[in-house]
């Protein structure tokens, strides 16, 4: 059994030890490993005569897991959306997007996608030499054939 019991609210402990337990790139948020370390410490120092006292902490852990899974799903969806298989199907399609002209006004443009390029982790549709970020697209459709 541990000799140093945790005293106080778990969120207070997390906030006071935040700098010591962060591993994220920006150093401002806790990662899942940090959270699990705190959980293990909490469980090791739990009062065996009051095992349900920390039910709020367990609820926070469940919420943390849910948020982590949602984040993972969002990342996977982004990767799926940006996969080469999806965007290569845009070649030959007519797209519509908003652009800013020389006077600063927003103008709606459209054209047929000639190719797809990748730069700095982002994908762009090329229409007559102009690169359009895929997140700027308003519409994708089959091109209208002239008769």
């Amino acid at each position: 059994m541990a000799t140093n019991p945790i005293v106080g609210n778990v969120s207070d402990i997390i906030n006071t030890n935040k700098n010591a337990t962060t591993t994220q790139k920006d150093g401002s948020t806790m990662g899942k490993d940090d959270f699990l370390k705190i959980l293990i410490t909490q469980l090791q120092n739990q009062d065996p005569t009051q095992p349900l006292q920390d039910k709020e902490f367990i609820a926070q852990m469940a919420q943390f897991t849910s948020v982590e899974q949602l984040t993972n799903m969002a990342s996977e969806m982004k990767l799926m959306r940006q996969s080469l298989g999806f965007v290569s199907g845009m070649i030959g399609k007519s797209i519509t997007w908003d652009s800013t002209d020389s006077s600063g006004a927003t103008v709606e443009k459209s054209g047929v996608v000639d190719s797809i390029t990748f730069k700095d982790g982002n994908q762009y549709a090329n229409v007559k030499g102009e690169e359009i970020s895929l997140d700027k697209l308003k519409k994708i459709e089959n091109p209208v054939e002239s008769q």
Side-chain angles (χ1 to χ4, degrees):
M1 191 110 209
T3 58
N4 298 329
I6 294 178
V7 179
N9 188 347
V10 173
S11 60
D12 294 338
I13 294 167
I14 292 170
N15 290 333
T16 57
N17 292 326
K18 195 170 202 175
N19 292 334
T21 60
T22 57
T23 59
Q24 296 292 326
K25 292 177 187 174
D26 62 0
S28 64
T29 58
M30 289 182 53
K32 62 183 174 183
D33 293 335
D34 299 318
F35 188 86
L36 290 176
K37 287 177 187 175
I38 292 172
L39 174 65
I40 289 169
T41 303
Q42 175 73 13
L43 292 175
Q44 287 173 342
N45 293 295
Q46 185 176 17
D47 184 358
T49 62
Q50 298 177 349
L52 297 177
Q53 182 181 9
D54 299 320
K55 61 184 175 187
E56 182 180 324
F57 185 74
I58 302 300
Q60 288 174 353
M61 183 183 76
Q63 289 172 345
F64 179 83
T65 302
S66 297
V67 169
E68 179 186 11
Q69 291 303 316
L70 287 172
T71 303
N72 291 342
M73 284 175 46
S75 297
E76 291 297 321
M77 292 295 288
K78 182 177 181 183
L79 289 174
M80 217 167 75
R81 221 178 31 246
Q82 292 182 347
S83 70
L84 183 57
F86 170 73
V87 295
S88 65
M90 290 178 52
I91 297 173
K93 300 284 185 183
S94 177
I95 62 172
T96 304
W97 70 96
D98 285 334
S99 182
T100 306
D101 65 8
S102 58
S103 66
T106 301
V107 186
E108 187 175 276
K109 289 186 169 183
S110 63
V112 177
V113 178
D114 300 319
S115 64
I116 302 293
T117 56
F118 298 90
K119 286 184 182 177
D120 302 321
N122 294 317
Q123 298 174 338
Y124 299 89
N126 296 311
V127 177
K128 297 179 184 172
E130 185 175 353
E131 290 184 338
I132 301 97
S133 178
L134 295 184
D135 61 349
K136 303 293 183 196
L137 298 182
K138 292 174 63 177
K139 184 175 15 175
I140 303 170
E141 60 187 349
N142 287 324
V144 177
E145 295 183 24
S146 55
Q147 300 181 14

